[in-house]
Amino acid sequence: MLERQGDAIRFHPTLLAFAGHYRFEPRPVAVARGNEKGRVERAIRHIREAFFIARKFTDLDELNAQAEQWCRSEAADRPCPEDREMTVRQAFAKEQPLLLPLPANPYPVEEQVAVKVGKTLYLRFDLNDYTVPHPHVRRMLSVRADLSQIRIFDGAQMIASHRRSYDRGQEIEDRRHLKDLVEIKREARQHRGLNSLTRAVPVCQTLMIRAAERGANIGALTTALLRLLDRYGATELQAAVEDALRTGSVHAATVCAALERRRLERGEPPPVETSLPEHVRRKDTTVRPHRLDSYDQLAPSGDNDDEH
């Protein structure tokens, strides 16, 4: 009930839709009057004592199957509470011709909640975590859950579905969601590496274009050239890449051979590769100057110049 003033009651619209689908009338009892629903309470007590005690099951499907079997056998053969001369099975057979048939389509009974997704792929629902596609993180999504599965929606679009878990602290994952995220991160790392490479050695952009035209692995080539950049420096790598382009080769091995040939011609010892922390390696990164006129847009409109 959403609201109650004495005998005036405003039911939840979902309850009224459910009652209309199965053609029954909801009848509320008085507030704090548990004795008015004693028949319901006794039925619950009977199920606890006659069905659940010492019963074993592995999952919800097996429990439901056992419950249906129990209803059709032991529960149906017990004496009818209103007429002890007949069983529940006999009473039902007598009343069945007077009952309306059930609708052909069952009412869609689903739990619906809104859930905020954080910065990871996991959405928390009913004490468990379920994955969502990476474009939908940091968004408010809706979960619709029935007894066997949960479906996750972004607006009207269903973006994921999982089997429902009744455990606690479990991570239910769709491998496709994890694989897509790994691919996106790998591409992002390659783009960051390629940008660093072309800023330090501009001629590498031409080498990458030639390599892409020949179907080479750009990610592997970028990684190899970045390793050579750390070992030999930008000036030497620039000259070696130019030599490789003049020969028509776009392989990292050709660039490495040109670097070694130039080193031997100068009579220098082999370079020693050093492993420096990230903040040290990035200290010489070229920073593009930002246009300062964009800050003028932050000033409140209507202010006088002499107030700044």
Side-chain angles (χ1 to χ4, degrees):
M1 291 179 293
L2 298 178
E3 186 179 6
R4 179 169 187 161
Q5 296 292 335
D7 294 334
I9 296 173
R10 184 162 67 95
F11 287 105
H12 195 287
T14 303
L15 173 63
L16 295 180
F18 181 79
H21 185 85
Y22 286 109
R23 303 173 186 176
F24 70 88
E25 177 187 357
R27 295 180 181 179
V29 300
V31 178
R33 294 293 187 272
N35 59 297
E36 296 185 8
K37 55 184 178 68
R39 181 180 300 177
V40 176
E41 298 292 349
R42 285 193 299 272
I44 294 175
R45 178 181 177 182
H46 175 71
I47 293 173
R48 286 176 176 172
E49 296 178 350
F51 176 72
F52 273 107
I53 290 181
R55 186 170 296 273
K56 297 181 179 180
F57 53 91
T58 57
D59 54 26
L60 186 61
D61 292 336
E62 182 181 353
L63 175 62
N64 285 333
Q66 293 183 25
E68 182 177 1
Q69 176 63 26
W70 179 77
C71 289
R72 296 182 181 275
S73 55
E74 299 175 32
D77 293 331
R78 76 185 190 277
C80 179
E82 296 182 357
D83 187 351
R84 312 293 293 185
E85 299 296 328
M86 65 174 64
T87 64
V88 172
R89 188 191 306 277
Q90 293 170 338
F92 179 70
K94 182 178 180 180
E95 294 179 0
Q96 190 173 18
L98 306 176
L99 300 176
L100 295 174
L102 289 174
N105 55 322
Y107 187 84
V109 181
E110 291 182 317
E111 182 180 358
Q112 300 187 32
V113 294
V115 180
K116 173 71 180 213
V117 182
K119 60 183 180 181
T120 67
L121 294 181
Y122 293 90
L123 172 148
R124 172 59 62 92
F125 171 74
D126 196 20
L127 303 179
N128 294 295
D129 295 324
Y130 300 85
T131 57
V132 299
H134 68 88
H136 300 274
V137 300
R138 297 184 182 272
R139 295 178 62 87
M140 182 66 71
L141 306 179
S142 60
V143 176
R144 302 179 187 177
D146 57 22
L147 294 178
S148 59
Q149 72 168 349
I150 74 163
R151 298 182 297 158
I152 304 173
F153 289 80
D154 190 346
Q157 177 190 7
M158 188 180 79
I159 60 173
S161 64
H162 299 274
R163 62 171 181 82
R164 184 169 183 175
S165 173
Y166 290 91
D167 294 327
R168 292 187 176 186
Q170 300 298 309
E171 292 184 350
I172 296 87
E173 299 173 338
D174 188 331
R175 294 298 178 184
R176 294 172 297 179
H177 300 161
L178 303 180
K179 181 179 178 181
D180 291 345
L181 180 61
V182 170
E183 292 296 331
I184 289 295
K185 288 189 173 183
R186 182 181 294 115
E187 292 177 3
R189 285 195 298 268
Q190 291 178 358
H191 289 172
R192 287 196 299 269
L194 182 59
N195 290 338
S196 300
L197 180 65
T198 54
R199 282 198 300 267
V201 185
V203 73
C204 286
Q205 185 172 6
T206 304
L207 182 71
M208 292 298 175
I209 294 175
R210 302 277 179 83
E213 292 173 349
R214 301 183 184 184
N217 188 329
I218 301 300
L221 181 59
T222 301
T223 301
L225 292 178
L226 285 172
R227 193 179 301 115
L228 295 176
L229 175 63
D230 292 337
R231 185 178 301 174
Y232 292 92
T235 303
E236 284 299 308
L237 183 60
Q238 174 87 9
V241 170
E242 291 174 351
D243 288 346
L245 289 174
R246 281 193 292 269
T247 63
S249 175
V250 293
H251 300 290
T254 305
V255 178
C256 183
L259 287 168
E260 282 296 296
R261 184 177 64 253
R262 292 171 59 84
R263 180 186 66 81
L264 293 174
E265 290 175 354
R266 295 190 302 270
E268 296 178 352
V272 178
E273 185 175 0
T274 57
S275 179
L276 299 176
E278 179 71 17
H279 70 280
V280 176
R281 289 190 285 111
R282 296 297 182 186
K283 69 181 182 64
D284 296 327
T285 301
T286 303
V287 179
R288 296 181 181 179
H290 184 73
R291 293 182 55 184
L292 299 182
D293 56 359
S294 61
Y295 289 100
D296 295 337
Q297 302 176 5
L298 302 177
S301 58
D303 290 349
N304 296 325
D305 292 340
D306 57 355
E307 293 179 354
H308 296 286

